Amino acid sequence: MVNFSVRLKTLIVTVTGDIDQHNAASLREQIDLRISHENVKRLVFDFSKLDFMDSSGIGIIIGRYKLMATLGGKVAIVVTKPTLRKLLELSGVQRIVHICDSLSDAMKAA
Amino acid sequence: MNNNIEIKFLSKSENESFARTVIAAFIAPLDPTLEEMADVKTAVSEAVTNSIVHGYASASGYVYMDCSIDGDTVTIIVKDNGKGIADIKQAMEPLFTTNTDGERSGMGFTVMETFMDTVDVESITGVGTKVTLTKQIGKNRL
Ligand SMILES: Nc1ncnc2c1ncn2[C@@H]1O[C@H](COP(=O)(O)OP(=O)(O)OP(=O)(O)O)[C@@H](O)[C@H]1O
Ligand SMILES: [Mg+2]
């Protein structure tokens, strides 16, 4: 499940449930559609309520980072679970997006 | 051996979450921490997804999962009769992927190696791939 909200030209993408290869394509399409429809400058992934993510999610984050970079925007991610944090650090994603503990931190970082 | 289960399922992507649910229920008696539970589920998800998207790709076949508990160690064997891996060493390198649509990160094996204690890969081109994952649960318990 994915929910969208826009605040101060920032698109907040809140994902609940699981991100795996099975639902990655649909999630990607929904996010890209929003980015192209809203006039947003930044993207925040709120994963604080996410139950599960594997490397399929890394592909989504890197792809959206590249998309936002072409629009001159930044990306931040809210992460609370240790396994998810390890996954992001491992993949080097933390070098290109801001990894934050809370949505308010992410809103400032993005 | 204290316990063992074997399951097989068709190489459909909706079975990725099924495989995670099975392994979570199977290791629950070892009383893993939330982090250990998430680590094992993530590693299994990577191995099963690889069998589905790379092993069988657009073809259909069975993915086999053999899970054992021996003392406080869980062993999970994920096997497919798919196309196999020509160069295992290269496949296991971080960021290596044969996928070209730019939406795979090539991190699956690296994730398995980080989240489990051991990862062993056997593969024969045209025959299939067998990935064996082990992890001791409760290592950090007092
Ligand atoms: N079961 C398998 N059968 C055939 N080839 C495989 C199998 N598992 C892995 N491979 C090969 O090894 C490569 C690396 O796998 P790995 O899981 O590390 O990355 P990926 O699947 O390409 O990307 P990601 O897992 O990050 O989405 C794959 O691109 C594929 O070529
Ligand atoms: Mg993979």
Side-chain angles (χ1 to χ4, degrees):
Chain A
M1 264 284 285
V2 57
N3 273 292
F4 298 97
S5 63
V6 178
R7 216 189 289 164
L8 305 167
K9 294 212 172 224
T10 301
L11 178 65
I12 305 168
V13 181
T14 307
V15 190
T16 55
D18 295 4
I19 300 179
D20 62 9
Q21 192 266 137
H22 178 61
N23 58 30
S26 132
L27 186 59
R28 206 157 54 217
E29 279 163 26
Q30 292 179 68
I31 297 171
D32 288 358
L33 196 65
R34 279 300 173 125
I35 294 174
S36 69
H37 282 192
E38 314 273 357
N39 177 26
V40 289
K41 287 271 170 286
R42 291 164 293 267
L43 181 66
V44 170
F45 286 105
D46 186 350
F47 288 160
S48 59
K49 294 182 192 73
L50 190 67
D51 292 324
F52 177 84
M53 182 177 117
D54 64 19
S55 66
S56 311
I58 302 296
I60 292 185
I61 295 166
I62 294 172
R64 280 354 88 199
Y65 163 78
K66 288 180 183 161
L67 183 58
M68 290 308 292
T70 64
L71 304 172
K74 286 186 188 167
V75 179
I77 311 181
V78 184
V79 172
T80 49
K81 295 189 174 75
T83 297
L84 190 46
R85 189 173 276 273
K86 273 191 287 183
L87 186 67
L88 297 175
E89 283 168 3
L90 192 65
S91 60
V93 160
Q94 92 280 5
R95 287 199 296 269
I96 53 172
V97 304
H98 300 275
I99 313 246
C100 307
D101 296 323
S102 68
L103 186 56
S104 55
D105 282 357
M107 291 298 288
K108 275 179 235 151
Chain B
M1 182 156 339
N2 304 339
N3 201 3
N4 172 254
I5 59 164
E6 274 182 62
I7 58 167
K8 67 169 192 178
F9 48 85
L10 272 179
S11 57
K12 289 174 174 290
S13 66
E14 51 262 55
N15 288 332
E16 292 156 12
S17 65
F18 170 74
R20 294 195 295 271
T21 306
V22 167
I23 195 59
F26 184 69
I27 67 168
L30 292 176
D31 198 19
T33 61
L34 287 177
E35 186 173 351
E36 286 170 330
M37 182 63 100
D39 287 358
V40 173
K41 281 172 72 176
T42 309
V44 166
S45 194
E46 297 296 347
V48 167
T49 301
N50 279 352
S51 287
I52 294 172
V53 304
H54 304 299
Y56 292 113
S58 49
S60 178
Y62 278 104
V63 179
Y64 301 82
M65 223 168 97
D66 179 321
C67 316
S68 309
I69 289 171
D70 190 354
D72 54 4
T73 300
V74 59
T75 301
I76 304 138
I77 300 170
V78 176
K79 202 173 74 85
D80 64 66
N81 299 321
K83 71 167 190 270
I85 304 172
D87 186 340
I88 296 175
K89 193 167 166 282
Q90 180 187 49
M92 293 180 78
E93 275 166 20
L95 305 178
F96 177 83
T97 180
T98 49
N99 184 273
T100 48
D101 67 12
E103 295 287 351
R104 306 219 74 86
S105 59
M107 292 303 292
F109 279 123
T110 308
V111 169
M112 292 182 239
E113 287 180 314
T114 307
F115 289 0
M116 303 296 284
D117 294 341
T118 68
V119 178
D120 179 68
V121 183
E122 292 168 49
S123 190
I124 301 172
T125 317
V127 177
T129 301
K130 178 177 157 185
V131 175
T132 305
L133 309 165
T134 74
K135 189 179 179 74
Q136 186 191 353
I137 303 297
K139 253 189 304 221
N140 303 323
R141 254 195 302 259
L142 295 175

